[in-house]
Structure formats: structure tokens, C-alpha cells
Amino acid sequence: TSFLRARWGLIKVRDESDRHHALDAVVIAACSHGMVKRMSDYSRRRELRQVAEGFVDVETGEIANTVMYDKLKEHFPDPWPHFRDEVQVRLKIDDPKLLREELARFGSYAPEVIAQIKGVFVSRAPQRRSGGAAHKETVYGQSERLKKEGGVTEKAALLSITVKDLARAIDPHRNEKLYLAIRARLDAFNGKADKAFAIDNPLRKPDKSGEPTGPVVRTITLVIDKLSGLPVRHGIAKNDTMLRVDVFTKAGKFHLVPVYVHHRATGLPNRAIIQGRDEDEWMLIDESFAWCFSLYPNDLVRVVQKGKEAIIGYFSGCDRATGAIGLWAQDRNVSSGKDGLHRPSVKTALQVEKFHVDVLGNIFPAQPEPRRGLA
């Protein structure tokens, strides 16, 4: 495929989007058994390397060695007239009207065929898994005092802390000399912890008189005010694998109920996200809420918000803090949204719809479904 792409002047850019898979599919479909035999002969005579090393500029597609190009054109002809231009148009234009206008200029297809042509839509398989890790590996400590306050503690390496982190240090009155020494060291190195506590310049715990004669300090304990998760070994661990998000509606608003692996042991959850609230303060789902559907990773979703253009994309997850969902552009084009993701809030959306996509990219409304368990 690499050789034929170069011969036909097609440039593959993996980082732009997932459409490069379609480019490879087109090249494979246009490659005949005779071409495979000729490529094998070229490879045996080591001419393929000569071809790959410079008859075409891989960045621009321009022909650099016209003699070699003419030779290859005889043995590896274009599949049909305007092949390269048509592939480029089909991969880069989504607007159906513009796409059909551009294709009509080539004169390769009858008008009735062009009328049925549509743009590339990447098909993805939904991930309807039921397994995974119940919680993250890190277990945050929680004393009886912190448990009442809802807080936990975490170990932080000195090499990664900042001056602001010292405000979250546990029991500052008991370790006052240590924290003063850490602050002084950070100030001396302009707040750069990796230099302040380098291996060749370790910090030792001060004794009662303030002299650094104690053991080398590599970590300190910091307090986290709030942390939702699972109780593990007298502490708390963050939830890990989110299996899906169940969507309900009430009074014209949509509500999201995240479903995690650990719910296999406790039963389906019945609390919906409330922005800015902890999990134990989320909204209770009762009989007054109407069931909509479940969203699994790679389910296609369309969200319509008031005064905004509809967003359609593949579901990637939801933000427990804000109630927004993540939607990948269908081809994961990096120019679509921040980091390639749209993050619409669905609570006040006018519409939230789920679709199915077949292997050819045809889109169909999802059929009504019951709320499934986790068995």
C-alpha cells in the first residue's frame, strides 16, 4: 500500500484523523493481482527500494524522478482517470452538495450515481464491556477525623510539590520545622522542586533544635478536602472503569447516571449527577423520571442545545463534576473541539439522541431499549 500510494501521488497523514484507514482501503481495493505480482518482481530485483527512495516527494506528492515515474506508470497505471483527485475529494469534503459538484467535474460517473454519493463517515464498534478494574491502584488515607470532614490524604513526592501544596500539608503544627525547611528550600530555587530536592541535594528532617540531622525526606502527606470513590483498606480509592452512562429525563431536562464496574457488586445506581456536588449528594432517580437509553463508549450521539448548532459524535465518557459528556468527531479530526473532543452539557439540551452506525457508515436511529443489568 505504501508503494502504490506513492505511485498514485496519495499522501497518508495519520495524525490528522482516522480517515487514513479509508485511504488504505481504497488503495487495496484498486490493487489487482497482476500489480501484486509485479510488485513482488520489483522487490526481488531490489528496485522497490530505489522507487521508495525518491521518485516522489512524500510531503507534496510532486514527481521528483520523471524517468522512474514514466516507467512505473506503464506497470502500475492509475485505476481510472482522475483517481488521485477523486480520492482526495472524497476524503476531504463532507458537505454532500459540494462533494457531488466536485465529482461531477471529473465526468467519471453518471448523474444518477453522483446523486447517491455521500461523504465518508467513520464507523466504530460500541464497547459494551462488563469487566475492568473496580478502582484505581492508589488508596488515599482517611483518619477518623478526616472521615467526618469528608477528606482524605495522599503521599506527594517532594520532587513534584509546589509552594501552594504546603497549605494542604497535614498537621502543620506537629511538623512546623519540616515544612519551614521545605518552604525555605523551594524559595531558594524559585519554587522548582526538581532542583530544590535533587538526588545530590537531599532534604533531611530537622531535629528539635532545627538542625537537619534526621532521615532523608522524600515525600510529605497532603490533605484532599473531598474525594468520591470506594472504601478500600481503611481508605478511599477513585472509581476506575466507567462501563456506561444511563440517561433519564424529567421535566424537559436530561440526567446522567454513571455506571461503574463496582456496581456489579452493589446493584445498578439510582443517583444522577448534579454539577458541583459530591456523589452522595446526587439526585435520586425515582418513578417520576423517564428512562431514555444507555450510552457506551463509541455510541453515536446527537446533542441539540438552544441557540447552537447540533453536535454529533462518538461518546467517550462523562465528566462527573460538570455533567458534560465527551463526543469524538466521527473521524477524530484533531481540529474538532479541544483535543479533538466536544464537551456539551446535556442537562438543559433540547434533544439528546442515540444512533447506530453499520460497518459502511450508514446511520440509523437507535431502537428503544430496556435498562439492562450488569450480570
Short mmCIF file of all heavy atoms in Angstrom, two decimals, residues 171-184 203-211:
data_model
loop_
_atom_site.label_atom_id
_atom_site.label_comp_id
_atom_site.label_asym_id
_atom_site.label_seq_id
_atom_site.Cartn_x
_atom_site.Cartn_y
_atom_site.Cartn_z
N ASP A 171 -1.31 18.25 59.58
CA ASP A 171 -0.78 18.57 60.92
C ASP A 171 0.40 19.54 60.88
O ASP A 171 1.52 19.21 61.30
CB ASP A 171 -0.35 17.28 61.64
CG ASP A 171 -1.52 16.35 61.88
OD1 ASP A 171 -2.65 16.85 61.98
OD2 ASP A 171 -1.30 15.13 61.96
N PRO A 172 0.20 20.75 60.37
CA PRO A 172 1.31 21.71 60.26
C PRO A 172 1.94 22.06 61.61
O PRO A 172 3.13 22.35 61.67
CB PRO A 172 0.66 22.92 59.60
CG PRO A 172 -0.79 22.78 59.87
CD PRO A 172 -1.07 21.31 59.90
N HIS A 173 1.16 21.99 62.69
CA HIS A 173 1.70 22.37 64.00
C HIS A 173 2.69 21.32 64.52
O HIS A 173 3.61 21.63 65.27
CB HIS A 173 0.56 22.54 65.00
CG HIS A 173 -0.30 21.34 65.17
ND1 HIS A 173 -1.22 20.95 64.21
CD2 HIS A 173 -0.36 20.40 66.15
CE1 HIS A 173 -1.84 19.84 64.62
NE2 HIS A 173 -1.33 19.48 65.78
N ARG A 174 2.50 20.04 64.10
CA ARG A 174 3.38 18.98 64.57
C ARG A 174 4.66 18.89 63.75
O ARG A 174 5.67 18.40 64.22
CB ARG A 174 2.65 17.64 64.51
CG ARG A 174 1.48 17.53 65.47
CD ARG A 174 0.77 16.21 65.30
NE ARG A 174 1.69 15.08 65.48
CZ ARG A 174 1.35 13.81 65.25
NH1 ARG A 174 0.12 13.53 64.81
NH2 ARG A 174 2.23 12.85 65.44
N ASN A 175 4.62 19.35 62.51
CA ASN A 175 5.78 19.27 61.62
C ASN A 175 6.22 20.65 61.15
O ASN A 175 6.66 20.82 60.02
CB ASN A 175 5.46 18.39 60.42
CG ASN A 175 5.14 16.96 60.82
OD1 ASN A 175 6.04 16.20 61.16
ND2 ASN A 175 3.86 16.61 60.79
N GLU A 176 6.07 21.63 62.03
CA GLU A 176 6.33 23.01 61.64
C GLU A 176 7.75 23.20 61.11
O GLU A 176 7.95 23.83 60.07
CB GLU A 176 6.08 23.93 62.83
CG GLU A 176 6.28 25.41 62.48
CD GLU A 176 5.99 26.32 63.68
OE1 GLU A 176 5.72 25.78 64.77
OE2 GLU A 176 6.06 27.54 63.49
N LYS A 177 8.75 22.65 61.81
CA LYS A 177 10.14 22.85 61.38
C LYS A 177 10.40 22.21 60.01
O LYS A 177 11.12 22.77 59.18
CB LYS A 177 11.10 22.26 62.42
CG LYS A 177 11.14 23.04 63.72
CD LYS A 177 12.20 22.46 64.64
CE LYS A 177 12.36 23.29 65.91
NZ LYS A 177 11.10 23.35 66.71
N LEU A 178 9.80 21.04 59.76
CA LEU A 178 9.98 20.37 58.47
C LEU A 178 9.39 21.20 57.35
O LEU A 178 10.04 21.42 56.31
CB LEU A 178 9.32 18.99 58.50
CG LEU A 178 9.27 18.26 57.15
CD1 LEU A 178 10.67 18.02 56.62
CD2 LEU A 178 8.48 16.97 57.28
N TYR A 179 8.18 21.71 57.55
CA TYR A 179 7.54 22.48 56.48
C TYR A 179 8.23 23.81 56.24
O TYR A 179 8.30 24.30 55.10
CB TYR A 179 6.05 22.69 56.81
CG TYR A 179 5.27 21.39 56.89
CD1 TYR A 179 4.27 21.22 57.83
CD2 TYR A 179 5.56 20.34 56.03
CE1 TYR A 179 3.55 20.04 57.91
CE2 TYR A 179 4.85 19.15 56.11
CZ TYR A 179 3.86 19.00 57.05
OH TYR A 179 3.17 17.82 57.13
N LEU A 180 8.79 24.39 57.30
CA LEU A 180 9.57 25.63 57.12
C LEU A 180 10.82 25.35 56.31
O LEU A 180 11.23 26.16 55.46
CB LEU A 180 9.93 26.22 58.49
CG LEU A 180 8.78 26.89 59.27
CD1 LEU A 180 9.25 27.31 60.66
CD2 LEU A 180 8.26 28.10 58.50
N ALA A 181 11.45 24.19 56.55
CA ALA A 181 12.65 23.83 55.81
C ALA A 181 12.32 23.58 54.33
O ALA A 181 13.08 23.96 53.43
CB ALA A 181 13.30 22.59 56.43
N ILE A 182 11.18 22.94 54.08
CA ILE A 182 10.76 22.69 52.70
C ILE A 182 10.47 24.01 51.99
O ILE A 182 10.90 24.22 50.85
CB ILE A 182 9.51 21.78 52.68
CG1 ILE A 182 9.86 20.39 53.19
CG2 ILE A 182 8.93 21.70 51.27
CD1 ILE A 182 8.66 19.48 53.35
N ARG A 183 9.79 24.92 52.69
CA ARG A 183 9.46 26.22 52.11
C ARG A 183 10.74 27.00 51.80
O ARG A 183 10.87 27.61 50.72
CB ARG A 183 8.58 27.01 53.08
CG ARG A 183 8.25 28.43 52.65
CD ARG A 183 7.45 28.44 51.35
NE ARG A 183 7.16 29.76 50.90
CZ ARG A 183 6.01 30.41 51.13
NH1 ARG A 183 5.05 29.82 51.83
NH2 ARG A 183 5.81 31.62 50.68
N ALA A 184 11.70 26.97 52.72
CA ALA A 184 12.95 27.70 52.50
C ALA A 184 13.71 27.14 51.30
O ALA A 184 14.29 27.88 50.50
CB ALA A 184 13.82 27.62 53.76
N LEU A 203 16.93 16.56 51.29
CA LEU A 203 16.49 17.30 52.47
C LEU A 203 16.37 16.33 53.64
O LEU A 203 15.69 15.29 53.53
CB LEU A 203 15.13 17.95 52.21
CG LEU A 203 14.52 18.71 53.40
CD1 LEU A 203 15.27 20.02 53.61
CD2 LEU A 203 13.05 18.98 53.18
N ARG A 204 16.98 16.67 54.76
CA ARG A 204 16.88 15.84 55.97
C ARG A 204 15.93 16.49 56.97
O ARG A 204 15.85 17.71 57.06
CB ARG A 204 18.26 15.63 56.61
CG ARG A 204 19.18 14.76 55.74
CD ARG A 204 20.47 14.41 56.47
NE ARG A 204 21.27 13.48 55.69
CZ ARG A 204 21.10 12.16 55.69
NH1 ARG A 204 20.17 11.62 56.47
NH2 ARG A 204 21.87 11.39 54.96
N LYS A 205 15.22 15.65 57.70
CA LYS A 205 14.24 16.15 58.66
C LYS A 205 14.95 16.86 59.82
O LYS A 205 15.88 16.31 60.42
CB LYS A 205 13.40 15.00 59.19
CG LYS A 205 12.24 15.46 60.07
CD LYS A 205 11.36 14.29 60.45
CE LYS A 205 10.17 14.76 61.30
NZ LYS A 205 9.28 13.63 61.66
N PRO A 206 14.52 18.09 60.14
CA PRO A 206 15.16 18.82 61.24
C PRO A 206 14.85 18.17 62.59
O PRO A 206 13.76 17.61 62.79
CB PRO A 206 14.55 20.22 61.15
CG PRO A 206 13.95 20.30 59.78
CD PRO A 206 13.54 18.91 59.44
N ASP A 207 15.82 18.25 63.53
CA ASP A 207 15.56 17.76 64.88
C ASP A 207 14.91 18.85 65.71
O ASP A 207 14.49 19.91 65.17
CB ASP A 207 16.86 17.26 65.52
CG ASP A 207 17.93 18.36 65.56
OD1 ASP A 207 17.56 19.55 65.48
OD2 ASP A 207 19.12 18.03 65.67
N LYS A 208 14.78 18.65 67.01
CA LYS A 208 14.09 19.61 67.86
C LYS A 208 14.76 20.99 67.85
O LYS A 208 14.10 22.01 68.02
CB LYS A 208 14.03 19.08 69.29
CG LYS A 208 13.13 17.85 69.44
CD LYS A 208 13.07 17.41 70.89
CE LYS A 208 12.13 16.20 71.04
NZ LYS A 208 12.06 15.74 72.45
N SER A 209 16.06 20.98 67.63
CA SER A 209 16.77 22.27 67.62
C SER A 209 16.78 22.90 66.22
O SER A 209 17.31 23.99 66.05
CB SER A 209 18.21 22.07 68.11
OG SER A 209 18.91 21.19 67.22
N GLY A 210 16.22 22.21 65.25
CA GLY A 210 16.17 22.75 63.90
C GLY A 210 17.31 22.31 63.01
O GLY A 210 17.37 22.71 61.83
N GLU A 211 18.24 21.47 63.53
CA GLU A 211 19.36 21.00 62.73
C GLU A 211 18.94 19.83 61.83
O GLU A 211 18.21 18.93 62.28
CB GLU A 211 20.52 20.56 63.63
CG GLU A 211 21.14 21.69 64.45
CD GLU A 211 21.75 22.74 63.55
OE1 GLU A 211 22.36 22.36 62.52
OE2 GLU A 211 21.63 23.93 63.87
#
